[in-house]
Amino acid sequence: MIVGCGGWSKRKTLYGSDHWTGREDALLDPLRDAAKIRAFFIHPDWARRGVGGMILQACEDAARAAGFTRFEMGGDVDRGKALRRERLCRCQTHLDSTVERRILPVLHMEKQA
């Protein structure tokens, strides 16, 4: 069973699959841009057990090692509220994203290192 997964990126795209035509593959500048924390999924049976926090910490550590001092994430408005409240949110902007012809509400979050 997969308990959780997630990662970070030094590319401009905040979210979306490899097949998404709106991807921005350009590299970010760590001195100017925020690292992208991407694609967190935690199995519901493992929610609120610290798995998301451990993955987030590993992402932040790796991004810091690559020279980034800010992090940003786009997340589902309804999921992961506790993790965002405890670990990530510093500013919030609601966005709408079209994924596979569905409009999904996305919360944009940012954090200083």
Side-chain angles (χ1 to χ4, degrees):
M1 168 197 298
I2 295 174
V3 173
C5 63
W8 76 280
S9 177
K10 57 185 174 183
R11 301 209 180 266
K12 287 191 176 183
T13 296
L14 181 57
Y15 54 86
S17 72
D18 291 341
H19 305 292
W20 184 46
T21 57
R23 290 181 60 85
E24 294 182 66
D25 286 335
L27 292 176
L28 298 167
D29 177 356
L31 299 176
R32 189 183 73 233
D33 300 315
K36 309 300 188 205
I37 306 293
R38 304 186 66 222
F40 271 53
F41 301 97
I42 308 302
H43 190 285
D45 291 346
W46 287 84
R48 303 293 305 141
R49 294 187 186 192
V51 175
M54 287 187 285
I55 295 171
L56 180 59
Q57 187 65 54
C59 290
E60 289 178 4
D61 292 346
R64 261 190 221 94
F68 288 90
T69 60
R70 289 186 309 122
F71 316 107
E72 69 178 359
M73 179 179 192
D76 184 298
V77 171
D78 295 324
R79 294 190 194 121
K81 288 180 184 176
L83 176 66
R84 291 193 304 257
R85 187 172 47 250
E86 294 169 10
R87 301 286 308 269
L88 194 62
C89 277
R90 296 298 178 264
C91 68
Q92 301 177 5
T93 306
H94 288 274
L95 310 167
D96 284 333
S97 174
T98 304
V99 178
E100 296 179 5
R101 296 185 295 263
R102 294 184 342 187
I103 296 177
L104 302 173
V106 173
L107 185 63
H108 175 256
M109 300 156 278
E110 189 171 312
K111 177 183 178 180
Q112 295 287 338

